[in-house]
Amino acid sequence: MSLMNQDIKKIAIVRLSALGDIVNSAVVLQFIKQNYPHATVTWIVEEAFSPILKSAKYLDKIHTLNLKKFKKEKDFSLLLQEYKTLKSIADFDIVIDMQGLIKSAIVSKILGKNTHGFDKNSTRESLASLFYKTSSAIAYEANVISRNTKVVADALEISITEEMIQNKEAVFKITQEFALQKEKKNIAFVIGASWPSKIYPKEKIANICNSLKEQAYIIWGSESEKADAQWICEHSKYAELAPKLTLDQLVSFISHMDLLIGNDTGPTHMAWAQNIASITLLGPTTERMIGKTPKNIAIKSPSQVNILKIDKQDFSIKQIEESIIIEKAKELLT
């Protein structure tokens, strides 16, 4: 690193997408501010995911891009406008690419010369490393939390230990209060996911609700998820449809829970970020994306997973027995 630490006043983080990755990445903000209390931290993110960052602690500015719109419409005037906007804010002492893709590396390079990211052996798109001035080496197969914290720690020459991560403060602010059940434990179920093969069967979720006999809230996003959530509520007197929530409200809602049980998806990762007990159900994916603590655990189906070549037709999540989830849930609620 050519800059002395005291010369770093403006820091840019590039993590464009997706929701779960952004949630898992935002933990670094508190460690940056501990070491650089007077620095301004700006996050570069796809517009669709920016609402989640509005309640992130220790984040000073958010700059949104809409590269997905360009990809959809193939209108190069949109890309030119994004370039001009990036150049207009390109006044950073250091730019840290936490994503490691060619597109995020190009964005980083536009923002400044002092760029840091993953080296060519540490990411799926090795060409991205050509755009960095300095880089970090950490296996792509390593836990994503470890990867996130290492790339930032290396870039800023600070220490972020496993103990610090385990003892982190909640990543996001609670911006809304919810009046919930006081006589029973409050459990949230995240039933949606980006792929059908990552979704645990609604019939089994209803059985779990009936076995635990606590207050269950079924979180939904799309209309199809809402229909499944309503089905669960119709088949369990212990289940209740969660209200329609914005990303910001969702963080606050989850922060009120005693336990969250969910598929491998962004809202499930929010529980770890907020220090709420959780059980993540894994089928075609692995624990690589999970923030693990004694109260944040994962239950994996029997299938073997190659994270370099994910099989989206792996529906083995259906094989996870309700009894295992119920047992772990009771342990975490004790």
Side-chain angles (χ1 to χ4, degrees):
M1 185 66 57
S2 59
L3 290 174
M4 295 296 290
N5 284 358
Q6 60 265 31
D7 293 329
I8 297 179
K9 297 291 194 293
K10 295 182 179 180
I11 301 168
I13 290 176
V14 179
R15 175 82 239 192
L16 304 174
S17 59
L19 181 60
D21 296 304
I22 292 168
V23 169
N24 285 337
S25 299
V27 68
V28 302
L29 293 169
Q30 58 191 272
F31 305 125
I32 293 174
K33 280 296 185 178
Q34 286 171 16
N35 290 274
Y36 293 87
H38 304 298
T40 298
V41 182
T42 300
W43 196 299
I44 317 300
V45 65
E46 278 280 358
E47 186 176 349
F49 300 107
S50 62
I52 188 63
L53 289 170
K54 291 179 180 178
S55 59
K57 298 178 182 178
Y58 309 113
L59 181 60
D60 300 296
K61 297 179 181 180
I62 302 169
H63 179 81
T64 62
L65 297 177
N66 205 335
L67 299 180
K68 290 184 183 295
K69 185 177 181 181
F70 161 73
K71 185 176 181 181
K72 180 180 179 180
E73 299 183 9
K74 302 294 190 296
D75 183 349
F76 280 90
S77 66
L78 294 174
L79 194 60
L80 180 60
Q81 183 56 50
E82 295 287 16
Y83 173 80
K84 289 179 178 178
T85 305
L86 284 172
K87 289 298 289 184
S88 71
I89 65 167
D91 183 27
F92 296 101
D93 298 313
I94 188 165
V95 182
I96 307 170
D97 181 8
M98 297 182 69
Q99 191 147 7
L101 299 179
I102 293 173
K103 65 178 179 180
S104 60
I106 293 173
V107 168
S108 301
K109 190 65 174 178
I110 295 170
L111 289 170
K113 296 179 180 178
N114 201 35
T115 55
H116 186 93
F118 295 101
D119 74 8
K120 66 178 182 179
N121 298 315
S122 303
T123 181
R124 285 183 302 154
E125 298 184 4
S126 59
L127 289 178
S129 63
L130 297 176
F131 295 90
Y132 309 135
K133 183 177 180 181
T134 56
S135 59
S136 294
I138 182 170
Y140 180 72
E141 297 85 354
N143 180 270
V144 70
I145 310 296
S146 299
R147 284 171 54 83
N148 291 340
T149 51
K150 179 171 176 55
V151 76
V152 169
D154 287 354
L156 297 175
E157 297 181 340
I158 62 178
S159 174
I160 304 176
T161 66
E162 181 62 31
E163 183 180 6
M164 292 167 66
I165 298 169
Q166 292 284 324
N167 295 316
K168 73 183 189 309
E169 64 175 281
V171 173
F172 301 97
K173 303 169 188 172
I174 296 176
T175 58
Q176 183 172 334
E177 296 296 326
F178 292 89
L180 302 179
Q181 174 70 253
K182 293 183 179 179
E183 288 73 28
K184 295 178 180 291
K185 298 289 187 179
N186 292 292
I187 305 173
F189 284 82
V190 176
I191 64 170
S194 54
W195 317 329
S197 58
K198 292 169 71 174
I199 295 175
Y200 194 64
K202 63 180 184 291
E203 296 82 2
K204 293 195 172 191
I205 293 175
N207 290 340
I208 292 169
C209 293
N210 288 329
S211 294
L212 290 175
K213 296 181 171 56
E214 303 290 355
Q215 178 60 56
Y217 296 94
I218 314 302
I219 293 173
W220 57 278
S222 65
E223 287 304 309
S224 62
E225 288 175 15
K226 184 177 182 180
D228 286 342
Q230 289 172 327
W231 187 95
I232 293 168
C233 294
E234 290 167 2
H235 289 79
S236 175
K237 66 178 183 180
Y238 301 100
E240 179 179 325
L241 194 69
K244 184 174 179 59
L245 300 164
T246 64
L247 283 179
D248 186 46
Q249 292 170 332
L250 180 58
V251 171
S252 294
F253 189 74
I254 289 172
S255 299
H256 284 71
M257 294 295 123
D258 296 298
L259 174 66
L260 181 144
I261 301 172
N263 304 315
D264 180 7
T265 185
T268 303
H269 301 315
M270 290 177 187
W272 169 81
Q274 295 303 95
N275 297 326
I276 299 299
S278 65
I279 300 173
T280 304
L281 307 177
L282 304 172
T285 55
T286 71
E287 296 180 1
R288 174 180 177 273
M289 283 294 296
I290 308 302
K292 292 187 68 178
T293 74
K295 67 178 185 179
N296 299 106
I297 67 170
I299 300 176
K300 175 73 180 78
S301 71
S303 70
Q304 297 296 312
V305 175
N306 177 1
I307 67 163
L308 299 176
K309 193 176 181 181
I310 295 293
D311 179 9
K312 293 186 178 181
Q313 298 306 309
D314 172 6
F315 285 85
S316 62
I317 193 170
K318 296 179 180 180
Q319 299 175 38
I320 298 176
E321 297 291 341
E322 299 105 301
S323 59
I324 299 174
I325 300 170
I326 293 164
E327 178 187 355
K328 294 298 181 182
K330 288 180 177 178
E331 290 176 6
L332 291 170
L333 288 169
T334 301

